């Protein structure tokens, strides 16, 4: 069985759409953060697929993917720290109630 570039791109597009839908429709901040991570993983899948099956296969895609994973880990750390601080202050993870900058 041969896996083609189109298969990787379809899976990545599907993951990205699921993440985008979750980030736009869910109200739980933790779920929104997880959906953003899902979108970043779809990007990583595209980078690795193009690195393997692109016109000039090489290691650049894997390097960019590792950089993206590093940025995603930092984003999760900062995001969870912000969520913990907001939860301690307001006792909720609902994004609709996190509007202190609007007031």
């Amino acid at each position: 069985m041969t896996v083609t570039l189109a298969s990787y791109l379809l899976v990545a597009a599907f993951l990205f759409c699921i993440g985008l839908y979750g980030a736009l429709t869910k109200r739980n901040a933790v779920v929104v953060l997880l959906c953003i991570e899902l979108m970043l993983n779809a990007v990583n899948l595209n980078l690795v697929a193009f690195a393997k099956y692109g016109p000039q296969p090489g290691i650049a895609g894997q390097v960019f993917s590792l950089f993206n994973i590093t940025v995603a880990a930092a984003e999760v750390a900062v995001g969870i720290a912000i969520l913990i601080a907001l939860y301690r202050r307001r006792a909720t993870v609902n994004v609709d109630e996190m509007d202190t900058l609007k007031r």
Side-chain angles (χ1 to χ4, degrees):
M1 181 175 160
T2 304
V3 180
T4 62
L5 177 62
S7 302
Y8 286 109
L9 296 180
L10 282 175
V11 171
F14 186 66
L15 285 176
F16 190 85
C17 289
I18 290 173
L20 184 64
Y21 175 77
L24 294 177
T25 59
K26 300 300 176 188
R27 296 291 160 235
N28 187 331
V30 177
V31 174
V32 171
L33 197 61
L34 288 174
C35 290
I36 291 171
E37 289 299 315
L38 196 60
M39 289 191 290
L40 287 174
N41 284 329
V43 171
N44 288 336
L45 186 60
N46 275 341
L47 287 171
V48 172
F50 278 118
K52 184 175 181 182
Y53 295 107
Q56 296 178 345
I59 196 166
Q62 284 97 352
V63 172
F64 283 128
S65 181
L66 286 174
F67 179 72
N68 196 13
I69 290 170
T70 306
V71 170
E75 176 251 335
V76 166
V78 171
I80 288 179
I82 291 171
L83 285 179
I84 289 172
L86 285 172
Y87 183 77
R88 285 181 181 166
R89 189 175 179 103
R90 296 193 161 210
T92 184
V93 290
N94 190 349
V95 292
D96 290 333
E97 297 175 15
M98 296 179 187
D99 56 355
T100 55
L101 292 178
K102 289 183 180 177
R103 296 179 191 171

